[in-house]
Amino acid sequence: MQFFQTKWPAILLRPFSFLFGIVIRFRNFLYDFQILKSTHISCPVISIGNITVGGTGKTPTVLFLAKWLTEKYKVCIISRGYRRNSTGHLVVSDGETISSTVQEAGDEPFLLAKRLPNTIVIVNSNRVEAALRAYQDFHPDVILLDDSMQHRKIFRDMEIVTMQGDNFFGNKFMLPAGPLREQLSGLKRADLIWINNSKNNLKTFKNKPVINAHYQPEGLGDYAGTVFKISDLKTKIIAVCGLGSPDNFKKTLEQYGAYITKFLTFKDHHEYTLTDIQNIEKQFKQNNAKLLVTTEKDWVKIAHLVSLKNNWRYLIINAQPDDLEKIAELIESVLS
């Protein structure tokens, strides 16, 4: 997202953004006027997506909603499984057993399955097929479509759009010159705007209801699955992540007292190699740090590669919304 914070040199890519915008606007026109049809599923469908590329806290939001809904409903999450090494329809978890690896599922679906043992998780690039088969095979009460705002082939009963921080749209250009996946007018389709980690407490945005949420660290996990207190961060660490918005991870660590000697970043969804981990652990020793700290999303890909098992920790983060009654009112109206 750093590239998208200013209008220069992104201005050089502006003509391509203009062409991209025409295509997206025309496609949305076809769906808005039902020239292209959306497939209806036999149970309520809630979409959680964003209007920009880069990290908006979508995964913590999906985690919260799925965990909250599972208390009353049978929930199925459908994802495309970005950068997975498998193809076709894959049941990552049937709500009881995880039956795939992180490489087969993709990092985010695998993490969701790991954190949500009672939730069905499916990956399929054809999400219409995924939803139809999910209902046929599992009969969920509700389907959560992960990262699907622009995927309009499935009718959704509720559209939740996630944003993060206070500079929601960077330089306000469309791809590839800016972070926007579509024009801001696309927010008219939203039923709820979910804003993570904003300093402002907005009640509405673009005339849409807003939920404000903040990240609440649960603790630090280790190789054995033990969860340590967040206060253990108050030491000399090396931080490692592959995120769309790495600065948010860094700020969270510093907020809880970490002294970061090196902050090592990789591209979002980076597929770590043994060489990557060996280089990271080498720098850890050279800097005389006490801990190596990464994100939970990165950890599911790193765990099988590490040699310094006792020195690695991963930060367990939850999204904590400010107004649970408002969420309940909005979502129950869809599910009732």
Side-chain angles (χ1 to χ4, degrees):
M1 283 287 287
Q2 292 300 319
F3 176 73
F4 298 139
Q5 297 306 312
T6 59
K7 293 187 177 181
W8 181 266
I11 194 73
L12 298 175
L13 296 171
R14 192 75 168 100
F16 301 100
S17 295
F18 178 73
L19 294 175
F20 178 71
I22 291 174
V23 173
I24 297 301
R25 191 182 295 274
F26 180 65
R27 180 176 178 273
N28 280 330
F29 168 83
L30 295 177
Y31 277 107
D32 290 342
F33 288 90
Q34 299 186 23
I35 298 168
L36 291 178
K37 304 290 185 180
S38 299
T39 300
H40 285 253
I41 309 301
S42 299
C43 69
V45 173
I46 298 175
S47 165
I48 302 99
N50 43 28
I51 203 166
T52 62
V53 297
T56 60
K58 180 177 55 59
T59 299
T61 304
V62 173
L63 275 167
F64 172 84
L65 289 170
K67 188 174 181 179
W68 179 70
L69 286 167
T70 302
E71 294 177 2
K72 291 179 62 177
Y73 302 102
K74 187 176 184 179
V75 179
C76 175
I77 299 172
I78 292 175
S79 170
R80 63 174 172 157
Y82 182 66
R83 296 195 71 175
R84 63 178 172 136
N85 66 10
S86 62
T87 58
H89 186 83
L90 178 67
V91 178
V92 181
S93 172
D94 61 3
E96 295 180 0
T97 304
I98 296 176
S99 53
S100 70
T101 65
V102 63
Q103 291 78 20
E104 292 169 334
D107 52 14
E108 289 177 356
F110 188 84
L111 171 57
L112 291 169
K114 183 170 173 283
R115 286 283 301 271
L116 301 164
N118 299 317
T119 301
I120 301 154
V121 179
I122 292 171
V123 295
N124 192 333
S125 59
N126 184 337
R127 283 182 260 196
V128 174
E129 176 192 12
L132 292 172
R133 289 182 62 175
Y135 187 76
Q136 176 183 322
D137 296 341
F138 298 104
H139 298 287
D141 298 313
V142 57
I143 289 175
L144 300 182
L145 291 180
D146 181 25
D147 195 16
S148 60
M149 183 182 180
Q150 289 74 38
H151 186 87
R152 300 188 64 182
K153 291 183 179 181
I154 296 180
F155 175 82
R156 62 283 318 272
D157 299 270
M158 186 176 192
E159 185 82 69
I160 299 175
V161 179
T162 59
M163 299 177 184
Q164 182 157 262
D166 297 302
N167 183 17
F168 302 134
F169 311 120
N171 60 19
K172 298 183 180 180
F173 288 166
M174 289 192 65
L175 290 168
L180 290 177
R181 294 178 170 186
E182 60 177 293
Q183 290 87 358
L184 292 179
S185 58
L187 289 173
K188 67 185 179 184
R189 302 197 307 276
D191 298 295
L192 173 66
I193 306 293
W194 183 295
I195 303 177
N196 289 303
N197 264 19
S198 173
K199 294 178 182 177
N200 299 311
N201 189 28
L202 300 177
K203 301 299 181 184
T204 61
F205 185 82
K206 301 286 185 181
N207 297 317
K208 301 292 182 178
V210 166
I211 288 293
N212 293 281
H214 297 87
Y215 297 146
Q216 184 67 47
E218 181 179 316
L220 294 170
D222 75 348
Y223 188 85
T226 305
V227 178
F228 296 89
K229 294 179 180 178
I230 198 69
S231 58
D232 283 5
L233 276 176
K234 295 178 180 179
T235 189
K236 189 177 180 181
I237 74 167
I238 285 183
V240 181
C241 71
L243 301 173
S245 297
D247 284 348
N248 291 315
F249 177 54
K250 184 179 181 182
K251 288 175 183 176
T252 300
L253 296 176
E254 291 175 336
Q255 178 185 348
Y256 287 89
Y259 173 56
I260 303 174
T261 60
K262 272 192 175 297
F263 186 57
L264 306 175
T265 62
F266 297 83
K267 63 183 179 180
D268 198 13
H269 300 282
H270 179 67
E271 194 64 42
Y272 292 90
T273 65
L274 180 58
T275 300
D276 289 332
I277 303 306
Q278 288 173 339
N279 288 336
I280 291 167
E281 293 184 339
K282 181 180 179 180
Q283 293 189 61
F284 170 77
K285 292 176 181 178
Q286 290 174 343
N287 283 269
N288 295 314
K290 300 299 182 183
L291 292 176
L292 279 156
V293 183
T294 189
T295 71
E296 195 172 9
K297 187 175 87 167
D298 289 294
W299 177 249
V300 296
K301 295 178 289 187
I302 287 173
H304 69 290
L305 297 172
V306 304
S307 60
L308 301 177
K309 294 179 173 59
N310 293 329
N311 298 109
W312 280 91
R313 299 286 187 273
Y314 57 91
L315 183 65
I316 304 170
I317 286 283
N318 295 312
Q320 185 59 49
D322 295 343
D323 194 340
L324 286 173
E325 289 185 7
K326 189 174 184 179
I327 298 171
E329 180 183 349
L330 290 166
I331 293 184
E332 290 292 350
S333 66
V334 170
L335 301 180
S336 59

